[in-house]
Amino acid sequence: MHIQESHWTSSTASASAVATSGNGRDMGDGPRSTPLRVDAQRNLEHVLRAAREVFGELGYGAPMEDVARRARVGVGTVYRRFPSKDVLVRRIAEEETSRLTDQARSALGQEDEPWSALSRFLRTSVASGAGRLLPPQVLRVGVADEVAGVRDDEARVPQQRQAAPAGPELRLVEQRSAPAEESAADDPGAIALLDVVGRLVERARTAGELRADVTVSDVLLVIATAAPTLPDAAQQAAASSRLLDILLEGLRSRPTA
């Protein structure tokens, strides 16, 4: 059912020209004086859900018009909540980074075995689809500080590139650059994610269960790459699980002869 846009007064429309979270707070400098109206809150939830789907399928380069169509609202409604695409991209990226961080902390706290903790984090994250929405600056984080002697130009994690078509139904999600991209060092959410994933990696590496050359960047890239897009949800889940099994096998250390 098409969601009709609400009629706003000029003063309300002006006050609503910043992105607003579900608890009624702005993405701007201060809190809202009043909570969102029920229909406005509903539209916001539809826009956020649509943005996750569209950006997850097409990358952060997808236009705002695609988000509006998926949300079944006018593009003006999207811009009333998010005055620029940068603001919407940042909101989605921050939410997905936070979700990954929570998943990593959960695995770290609930699994005593280092490899079990790391593999649990990877399986949970891939199943949730969060890797499709990782900020590009997180995927590009350098590993030179983790592995001594690695040249800076070798330490960068490349963005995913569109794979050559393997058939009419299978493609890999391309991680396209977000507008106004910042470095991971400037993003507190990214710093928190890299810190907790770093602990998972270090534990597994110290236990001898993870290859010594595997870095945090590699682990995050696994999450981003184990995300094939198929038209059938069951096929997509099965393909993603199989791909992750293969990637996990490649991460594990091998006993020396």
Side-chain angles (χ1 to χ4, degrees), residues 186-255:
D186 299 325
D187 183 349
I191 292 171
L193 174 63
L194 296 173
D195 176 70
V196 68
V197 175
R199 282 183 274 163
L200 285 168
V201 167
E202 185 58 31
R203 284 181 61 198
R205 190 191 288 145
T206 301
E209 297 178 314
L210 182 69
R211 282 173 42 175
D213 61 337
V214 172
T215 68
V216 172
S217 301
D218 298 325
V219 170
L220 293 175
L221 194 57
V222 165
I223 297 172
T225 54
T229 298
L230 294 168
D232 180 80
Q235 290 179 357
Q236 179 171 302
S240 183
S241 178
R242 174 168 170 73
L243 180 56
L244 181 57
D245 285 341
I246 294 170
L247 293 171
L248 281 170
E249 189 65 21
L251 294 177
R252 295 206 74 161
S253 62
R254 293 288 180 270

Side-chain angles (χ1 to χ4, degrees), residues 8 10-22 24-34 36 40-41 44 47-48 64 76-88 91:
W8 294 76
S10 59
S11 59
T12 304
S14 177
S16 301
V18 291
T20 311
S21 64
R25 293 193 307 170
D26 287 337
M27 294 290 288
D29 296 332
R32 290 177 58 92
S33 58
T34 59
L36 285 174
Q41 176 64 31
L44 173 61
V47 168
L48 289 172
M64 293 282 262
T77 296
V78 179
Y79 278 108
R80 276 196 292 274
R81 299 274 70 80
F82 301 95
S84 73
K85 183 179 173 183
D86 288 358
V87 175
L88 178 57
R91 170 73 176 266

Side-chain angles (χ1 to χ4, degrees), residues 1 3 7 32 44 95 117-118 138 145-146 195 204 221 225 232 239 254:
M1 173 175 139
I3 301 173
H7 294 287
R32 290 177 58 92
L44 173 61
E95 288 183 352
L118 180 60
V138 173
D145 292 338
E146 298 176 349
D195 176 70
L221 194 57
T225 54
D232 180 80
R254 293 288 180 270

